Amino acid sequence: MQVYKMPPDLNKSELIPPQKWKIIGGTPNPDNQYQCGPPVRVSPSTFPDSSGLPTESRSIASWQVVCNITRPKQTSPRCCVSFSAFFNDSAIPCSTCACGCNNIPSQTCSAIEPALLLPPYALLIPFENRSVEAVEWAEIKRLSVPNPLPCGDNCGVSINWHLLSDYKGGWTARITLLNWGETDLADWFAAVQLDNAGPGFEQVYSFNGTTLAGSNNTIFLQGINDFNNLAAEKDDANPRKHPRVPGYQQSVILFTKKTTPNINVARGDGFPTKVIFNGDECALPAVLPSSSGSKIMTATTVLVSLATALAPLLMQ
């Protein structure tokens, strides 16, 4: 971009940078807003020579503009979280209208009824195609089915947190990111806060993960280089018989109990108290999976077999 001086300001030695900078949020956070400060003079920057030669040219002057993200008040979340666990064969899906519902009254679904429990594999089915699974599961579990059925979560991204194992020296969880939108999410990032169990974080296997600087209870996650693109929802290989398939990525996270010996993973400490995805705070379920109350060591065999059975379902 070329800029020119206009009369009456023709003094070549006096340089005035553009003012009143503004950035408008784009995908995946179109509602985000930014507040930008004034340009600050910094050291001249360098850039590749326009002739194509392997040399660098130095700018006459450079300024730096710092913009901080702000958010409009009373905006709905853009992502939600579902919970599941090795000790309960029902998954708790994202809450009804977690990311908002149409304000126009509808007879087709209820915006106030809680979401129905699901078999874990149904979390991979688009909401508009999972009603049969939800009703059949309610009948198997002898749970009441409201009429009309609860509305969907209406979120473009959902995250499943699955409590995978719990043993004497540690525990594991599996996190699955699901993109229901029509746009790939490149260079995604997420943060998971575990109030009591976070200090026990040791390793994440398929993502880049580290404890957030200045906090011992929040884990910062990013995709591995060249594999950090969360693909958009797409048609199944046989679209006439099967519903659309979300883009997904998942990883197992390992925790130790050496630094958190008094936590109760199954009773709540193993579930996030806050989840952030691409800068947006995600809606959490109002309830947690219930535990049978049996001791951890006596449930080891069941734990391994159930985790083995559930893993292929969420990876299909």
Side-chain angles (χ1 to χ4, degrees):
M1 181 176 66
Q2 292 183 339
V3 259
Y4 301 89
K5 281 186 169 289
M6 301 291 291
D9 181 21
L10 297 177
N11 186 348
K12 294 183 179 181
S13 63
E14 184 180 1
L15 301 175
I16 302 175
Q19 304 291 323
K20 297 181 180 180
W21 287 81
K22 183 178 181 181
I23 300 176
I24 300 176
T27 303
N29 303 311
D31 286 340
N32 283 346
Q33 297 179 355
Y34 298 81
Q35 184 175 3
C36 300
V40 177
R41 188 76 176 260
V42 294
S43 300
S45 57
T46 57
F47 52 91
D49 192 280
S50 58
S51 65
L53 296 175
T55 59
E56 290 185 338
S57 299
R58 184 178 295 272
S59 62
I60 298 175
S62 296
W63 290 264
Q64 176 177 281
V65 178
V66 177
C67 300
N68 294 316
I69 190 171
T70 61
R71 291 181 176 81
K73 295 182 179 179
Q74 298 180 345
T75 56
S76 298
R78 295 187 174 275
C79 53
C80 63
V81 179
S82 62
F83 288 153
S84 54
F86 68 85
F87 50 75
N88 195 315
D89 57 358
S90 293
I92 298 176
C94 291
S95 302
T96 302
C97 300
C99 295
C101 270
N102 194 329
N103 293 327
I104 301 175
S106 172
Q107 300 298 321
T108 60
C109 67
S110 171
I112 59 175
E113 289 288 345
L116 298 178
L117 299 180
L118 295 171
Y121 73 85
L123 294 174
L124 289 176
I125 302 175
F127 179 82
E128 58 269 20
N129 300 107
R130 68 169 70 150
S131 297
V132 173
E133 284 76 9
V135 172
E136 289 180 349
W137 193 250
E139 293 175 351
I140 292 173
K141 296 299 179 180
R142 299 181 179 180
L143 302 172
S144 60
V145 178
N147 186 15
L149 294 174
C151 296
D153 54 71
N154 296 315
C155 296
V157 172
S158 63
I159 300 173
N160 174 246
W161 182 269
H162 178 75
L163 190 55
L164 192 60
S165 68
D166 185 13
Y167 50 95
K168 185 176 180 180
W171 59 285
T172 59
R174 182 180 62 230
I175 184 171
T176 304
L177 311 177
L178 302 168
N179 181 8
W180 304 97
E182 298 180 354
T183 305
D184 292 356
L185 301 178
D187 300 322
W188 62 266
F189 63 92
V192 178
Q193 180 175 314
L194 296 146
D195 288 345
N196 298 323
F201 168 72
E202 282 199 328
Q203 184 179 1
V204 56
Y205 291 97
S206 302
F207 301 154
N208 290 322
T210 184
T211 301
L212 195 64
S215 172
N216 67 350
N217 65 359
T218 302
I219 305 166
F220 184 74
L221 303 171
Q222 286 181 300
I224 297 174
N225 289 342
D226 300 326
F227 296 96
N228 57 351
N229 182 57
L230 185 57
E233 186 184 63
K234 63 180 181 180
D235 286 333
D236 183 78
N238 191 345
R240 292 187 177 182
K241 291 187 176 180
H242 303 293
R244 287 171 62 82
V245 179
Y248 79 93
Q249 291 190 16
Q250 67 179 187
S251 180
V252 172
I253 306 176
L254 175 64
F255 297 85
T256 180
K257 292 183 180 178
K258 292 180 181 179
T259 55
T260 56
N262 298 320
I263 63 170
N264 192 326
V265 174
R267 294 295 178 88
D269 289 336
F271 294 94
T273 52
K274 180 182 291 187
V275 176
I276 304 291
F277 181 81
N278 279 2
D280 284 322
E281 183 173 352
C282 304
L284 297 177
V287 295
L288 300 175
S290 60
S291 171
S292 62
S294 57
K295 294 182 179 180
I296 293 173
M297 294 305 295
T298 61
T300 302
T301 303
V302 178
L303 156 76
V304 175
S305 61
L306 185 57
T308 304
L310 292 182
L313 294 176
L314 279 177
M315 295 186 66
Q316 289 180 353

